[in-house]
Amino acid sequence: MRVVSVYIEHPVMLLNSPFHYLLQGEDYLARGMRVKVDFNGRPLVGFVDGVEEVEDIDAYQKTLDYQLKEIQEIIDKEPLLNDELYELGLWMSYQTVSPAISCFQAMLPAALKPSSSHKPAARERWVVIDDEELKREFETKEALLKDFMQKCSVYRYTKYRKAGLLHTEDRQKQAESGQLRISQAPYELTEKQQKALDDIETSDRNVVLLHGLTGSGKTEIYMQLAQKVLEEGRQVLILVPEISLTSMMIERFRSRFGDSIAVYHSGLSNTEKYQQHQLVRHNRASLVVGTRSAVFMPFADLGLIVLDEEHDNSYKQDSTPRYHTRDIAIKRAEYHHCKVILGSATPALESYARAIRNVYQLITLDERIFQKLPVSHLVDMNRETRQGNFIISKPLAEAIGKRLENNQQVILLLNRRGYTPIMKCGSCGEVLTCPHCDVTLSYHKDEDKLVCHCCGYTTSADVSCPKCGSRKWRNYGIGTQRLVEETGRLYPKARIVRMDADSTAKKDSHRDILEAFRRHEYDILVGTQMIAKGLDFPDVTLVGVFNADGPLNRMDYRSVEMTFDLIVQASGRSGRKDVEGEVYVQAYDISHYGIRLAVRQNYIAFFNNEMQYRHSGFYPPYSYMIALMFAGKDPQLLEDAAFSAAEHFRLDEKLRTLGPSKLLKRKDEYRYRLVLKSTDKAYMLQQLWQWYDAQKYNRHQVAIQVDVDPCILD
Ligand SMILES: [Zn+2]
Ligand SMILES: [Zn+2]
């Protein structure tokens, strides 16, 4: 008889070991297939880890502390994950300290997740011809029912079927992909680009950091590298951080390489995702363009991975398993013996530090091709505020006016949606906060509602003060809605469009907004950071960045890096071949190095400054960090859990243990965080796993979230 080890999602406990089940009969079952099992009377879907032949079941049973039960059903006909991906899942589980089952789930499209047994919706009916003579008549042994019926009458079809000459089958509908057609580049590379390309190709490093200014022609280098790989018949993966960037990338690659492209991002429906996944799995797409989860596509023969805007936080998954796409890409490239290109104008400090230590190959592109660098101005908002210019400073206002007169476009970046972030009582000063989170409610004028940006709680703005009953409110701060209003007041003729999480809630709306702006149907685009990334608009000659030093107030060791990135990325959107671009950066703390160096676009100086700060605080890349979060509804239980973990880790002198600190309440959950630091990541992981495996908390009471190499500590 066979004994099967199965990973399941334990309903209550935090466990990471497989459970064993019996398998009768001769059915095919292998690692990476899904099965239905019974767990304490609960039907669950599990993922097979291994199958072994056992002669003496009774002896085997004695080694377990639970009763062996039979597998109830085998769901798949073949493994969903091949050996490479299965091993990758186990590696990711160890590296991110998360259950293996959560990793397998993250690697598969929803329709195939180990916790689900439902089939994707789109199916189609096929006619399979069993009779040899009939096969010759139809020249094929199978056809889609609708195609078959075009060649055959209903009467004949029914007759054949009754006679057993053919039968019909329900199959999952497959997505269509087109042909790979490689055409030559429409122009020659510049000398700098050519040298970069040569250096990448001759490098003996598998990972290349391509540090290039915005507009320095990184994408063309990706395409030329891709061309060689595609000509060899291998596959290419292009990763971008945001959905809004996929369509631009797809357009460029499609025009050069034809339609053999699969697309994968969170904006697709479950069925669409499944179809794209199948395209790659059956090697019917040569190129994949996608966001984070595309890194798990089932490639047969991968020849190149590009991670564009590699510094972007969207590459880090913010729920279990908290993996970084860059780590997964590098791991997969090792398996496939191919190169990974990390591209950015503002590389992550960790990446740049590795590049200058020659762990990665460093390639620099320091010349813009089609445009000059924009002229940047830093505006002191303390002075402007004293002169009554609270929102748009005088120099920026004048510059906008000039650009509009010349029929050029303007981008205004403010990383805060809504109308105003704070509502304060006019008589007693009470601030309205979310009943579920320790966060102030933002006023949204469009809907006349108060909204919590943390949990989405929404309530009428027509309220009286809970403390004194007054109905007089004062609004503080500015959000994108208010900026649109103010811009409209100053430039009544300008056509203004807003892009933020509120205006892009509908599917495809972000693409519609960007395309309309590109067609110059609008003069001014006002938006949050989603407009700062990698987008390319030829008529934009002015960019304004509002509240640029706002992120510096966050209690996060990476806040300066994020501030710097945002300003440089936003500045890159300005300027074109024949008209010099301009950038205005409005800030209060204008002497901060993160702001000053961003305005001068001086990455190297910023890197050196920031590395000193990281060194003095023993922050990454000088140390490795793991954050442990304890979350739940019972504050006492959490406090106990967090403090006992802290005591445990403090005993270890090789680790530096910080906290626990109590964080703001979120979605009715109390939260405590503990941070571990060490120069030895392997040791830290080992210690953490030992501790983790011993935890017996009910995860509905104490949820423990582990974040290895956290990007954001908010
Ligand atoms: Zn009041
Ligand atoms: Zn809330």
Side-chain angles (χ1 to χ4, degrees):
M1 209 178 297
R2 285 177 289 174
V3 172
V4 185
S5 50
V6 181
Y7 279 115
I8 55 162
E9 192 168 9
H10 196 286
V12 184
M13 306 281 282
L14 268 174
L15 289 178
N16 196 41
S17 37
F19 286 84
H20 297 84
Y21 288 86
L22 278 176
L23 181 64
Q24 309 263 18
E26 299 299 312
D27 290 335
Y28 173 68
L29 187 63
R31 191 169 87 157
M33 286 165 67
R34 287 173 300 175
V35 287
K36 270 193 194 150
V37 295
D38 171 277
F39 188 86
N40 288 342
R42 242 192 244 230
L44 289 178
V45 174
F47 216 66
V48 174
D49 180 60
V51 183
E52 62 174 321
E53 198 68 48
V54 174
E55 300 226 328
D56 189 348
I57 291 290
D58 290 337
Y60 192 92
Q61 174 69 67
K62 285 189 187 121
T63 65
L64 300 173
D65 56 1
Y66 54 89
Q67 186 65 40
L68 275 172
K69 282 184 235 166
E70 276 189 46
I71 298 264
Q72 294 182 329
E73 188 192 329
I74 298 174
I75 297 172
D76 303 300
K77 290 202 175 81
E78 53 183 282
L80 294 180
L81 294 171
N82 60 26
D83 282 345
E84 182 219 345
L85 290 172
Y86 196 88
E87 294 293 340
L88 181 71
L90 295 180
W91 176 83
M92 179 160 93
S93 158
Y94 186 80
Q95 294 293 322
T96 59
V97 192
S98 36
I101 188 98
S102 72
C103 296
F104 299 139
Q105 282 172 344
M107 295 168 78
L108 289 164
L112 297 176
K113 281 192 196 310
S115 58
S116 71
S117 60
H118 66 86
K119 294 278 193 292
R123 301 183 73 79
E124 54 194 10
R125 181 149 277 216
W126 284 72
V127 175
V128 181
I129 303 176
D130 302 310
D131 182 68
E132 291 303 319
E133 212 167 297
L134 201 59
K135 262 184 214 174
R136 280 192 288 278
E137 188 186 329
F138 284 93
E139 292 164 5
T140 162
K141 61 183 188 354
E142 54 181 37
L144 257 180
L145 182 63
K146 67 175 177 10
D147 301 334
F148 186 83
M149 295 304 264
Q150 276 173 359
K151 295 181 190 153
C152 184
S153 68
V154 177
Y155 171 73
R156 274 179 77 199
Y157 164 76
T158 315
K159 197 175 83 180
Y160 292 151
R161 197 168 52 97
K162 283 190 175 156
L165 303 181
L166 54 79
H167 70 275
T168 54
E169 272 179 24
D170 246 6
R171 294 185 187 169
Q172 280 161 7
K173 195 170 175 233
Q174 307 273 355
E176 299 294 325
S177 72
Q179 287 292 310
L180 178 68
R181 281 176 278 104
I182 298 175
S183 42
Q184 292 308 309
Y187 54 85
E188 299 258 304
L189 293 180
T190 64
E191 224 171 275
K192 291 244 162 134
Q193 279 178 312
Q194 187 60 53
K195 176 157 187 334
L197 187 64
D198 294 343
D199 288 349
I200 291 170
E201 286 184 320
T202 53
S203 170
D204 60 350
R205 305 280 137 191
N206 287 333
V207 185
V208 175
L209 177 64
L210 181 58
H211 176 215
L213 293 172
T214 50
S216 59
K218 291 192 289 287
T219 309
E220 183 58 35
I221 291 181
Y222 304 155
M223 289 204 279
Q224 304 234 354
L225 288 167
Q227 178 171 343
K228 294 198 177 147
V229 170
L230 293 170
E231 279 167 351
E232 289 164 9
R234 303 178 77 191
Q235 293 167 299
V236 173
L237 169 62
I238 309 287
L239 293 161
V240 292
E242 293 262 331
I243 299 179
S244 57
L245 299 172
T246 50
S247 51
M248 209 173 64
M249 221 28 127
I250 290 162
E251 244 170 69
R252 292 193 66 177
F253 276 85
R254 182 169 280 150
S255 68
R256 191 76 62 84
F257 302 116
D259 297 318
S260 184
I261 296 183
V263 184
Y264 202 76
H265 56 68
S266 59
L268 302 179
S269 70
N270 284 347
T271 306
E272 288 168 323
K273 275 189 186 169
Y274 175 76
Q275 291 174 347
Q276 297 297 311
H277 194 264
Q278 295 295 94
L279 273 184
V280 179
R281 183 172 173 162
H282 297 119
N283 214 348
R284 291 193 288 127
S286 311
L287 237 161
V288 175
V289 177
T291 51
R292 196 171 59 221
S293 51
V295 78
F296 298 116
M297 291 297 249
F299 294 102
D301 187 8
L302 193 53
L304 174 71
I305 305 178
V306 172
L307 205 82
D308 194 28
E309 311 285 349
E310 69 92 36
H311 62 278
D312 200 295
N313 286 337
S314 311
Y315 281 127
K316 173 91 182 193
Q317 162 112 329
D318 57 7
S319 58
T320 306
R322 292 175 164 78
Y323 65 88
H324 199 296
T325 311
R326 190 197 295 123
D327 299 332
I328 306 292
I330 292 172
K331 186 76 181 164
R332 294 204 72 181
E334 274 168 25
Y335 179 88
H336 287 274
H337 303 290
C338 71
K339 283 205 157 78
V340 181
I341 313 296
L342 308 175
S344 178
T346 54
L349 247 69
E350 289 85 343
S351 298
Y352 200 78
R354 282 189 189 131
I356 55 180
R357 279 189 299 133
N358 207 22
V359 179
Y360 302 162
Q361 175 80 46
L362 177 63
I363 308 275
T364 306
L365 279 176
D366 51 6
E367 211 173 67
R368 274 188 148 192
I369 300 184
F370 295 118
Q371 69 249 76
K372 291 186 213 122
L373 267 182
V375 179
S376 297
H377 312 270
L378 185 55
V379 182
D380 180 359
M381 284 309 284
N382 292 310
R383 212 174 67 191
E384 289 293 322
T385 309
R386 282 196 295 274
Q387 292 166 2
N389 308 319
F390 298 100
I391 302 179
I392 303 183
S393 65
K394 193 154 170 270
L396 175 56
E398 285 173 3
I400 296 174
K402 263 186 225 151
R403 299 290 169 168
L404 293 178
E405 264 170 40
N406 292 320
N407 200 29
Q408 293 163 9
Q409 286 179 299
V410 175
I411 287 181
L412 301 179
L413 174 87
L414 171 61
N415 206 12
R416 186 175 263 160
R417 62 196 174 93
Y419 187 76
T420 50
I422 298 169
M423 284 244 304
K424 221 181 209 181
C425 171
S427 357
C428 77
E430 176 80 353
V431 173
L432 284 180
T433 56
C434 174
H436 308 288
C437 318
D438 296 330
V439 184
T440 62
L441 291 170
S442 292
Y443 176 52
H444 284 224
K445 200 174 187 179
D446 285 15
E447 313 90 37
D448 196 30
K449 289 263 161 65
L450 294 167
V451 181
C452 171
H453 287 184
C454 175
C455 71
Y457 168 83
T458 303
T459 184
S460 164
D462 186 21
V463 285
S464 43
C465 173
K467 211 166 167 191
C468 74
S470 159
R471 295 184 71 83
K472 272 205 315 233
W473 293 99
R474 286 205 179 138
N475 291 320
Y476 290 91
I478 52 167
T480 45
Q481 293 181 0
R482 188 161 179 206
L483 183 55
V484 167
E485 187 182 275
E486 177 69 5
T487 313
R489 194 181 64 78
L490 290 177
Y491 313 100
K493 283 189 195 144
R495 295 162 300 171
I496 306 168
V497 64
R498 195 184 86 219
M499 184 160 150
D500 54 30
D502 300 312
S503 72
T504 58
K506 268 188 289 183
K507 199 189 173 195
D508 290 337
S509 51
H510 59 267
R511 203 188 58 200
D512 297 344
I513 294 172
L514 293 176
E515 272 164 22
F517 185 64
R518 194 189 310 276
R519 288 192 302 267
H520 210 143
E521 286 168 23
Y522 296 100
D523 305 301
I524 303 178
L525 171 63
V526 174
T528 51
Q529 63 173 1
M530 61 169 77
I531 62 172
K533 296 177 184 179
L535 301 165
D536 191 18
F537 304 103
D539 285 350
V540 172
T541 56
L542 175 65
V543 169
V545 183
F546 293 78
N547 198 24
D549 51 347
L552 291 177
N553 300 324
R554 298 162 47 109
M555 299 294 292
D556 183 337
Y557 77 96
R558 289 181 77 246
S559 62
V560 185
E561 187 179 358
M562 289 194 274
T563 305
F564 180 87
D565 289 354
L566 190 63
I567 297 173
V568 173
Q569 297 290 333
S571 307
R573 314 280 74 84
S574 173
R576 60 183 205 204
K577 207 172 182 176
D578 50 342
V579 187
E580 196 166 63
E582 256 186 320
V583 181
Y584 286 81
V585 176
Q586 297 193 166
Y588 293 89
D589 189 359
I590 58 164
S591 60
H592 196 286
Y593 69 91
I595 304 280
R596 271 189 300 107
L597 295 170
V599 170
R600 299 215 303 264
Q601 305 247 343
N602 192 338
Y603 178 82
I604 308 291
F606 164 73
F607 176 83
N608 292 329
N609 267 272
E610 184 66 8
M611 286 295 270
Q612 278 176 24
Y613 159 69
R614 300 283 179 95
H615 186 257
S616 64
F618 195 49
Y619 291 119
Y622 290 99
S623 66
Y624 292 97
M625 213 183 225
I626 297 181
L628 277 176
M629 180 91 86
F630 299 81
K633 307 245 189 267
D634 181 342
Q636 194 54 51
L637 207 58
L638 285 173
E639 198 181 303
D640 293 348
F643 276 90
S644 77
E647 271 166 40
H648 170 86
F649 288 113
R650 276 219 173 81
L651 293 176
D652 190 331
E653 286 176 359
K654 286 196 208 154
L655 301 177
R656 210 180 277 189
T657 305
L658 308 169
S661 45
K662 191 176 181 184
L663 305 185
L664 300 177
K665 184 175 79 171
R666 264 196 177 183
K667 302 178 188 175
D668 284 324
E669 285 199 327
Y670 296 92
R671 302 179 306 152
Y672 281 87
R673 184 172 54 215
L674 193 65
V675 173
L676 308 179
K677 290 200 260 185
S678 168
T679 50
D680 188 344
K681 187 176 179 183
Y683 176 79
M684 192 157 56
L685 280 175
Q686 196 186 25
Q687 297 308 308
L688 197 62
W689 267 110
Q690 261 177 29
W691 171 84
Y692 185 84
D693 278 338
Q695 300 311 304
K696 297 278 181 268
Y697 293 111
N698 177 326
R699 65 187 175 115
H700 300 302
Q701 288 169 338
V702 179
I704 301 176
Q705 298 155 10
V706 183
D707 194 349
V708 180
D709 302 328
C711 268
I712 298 172
L713 290 176
D714 59 347

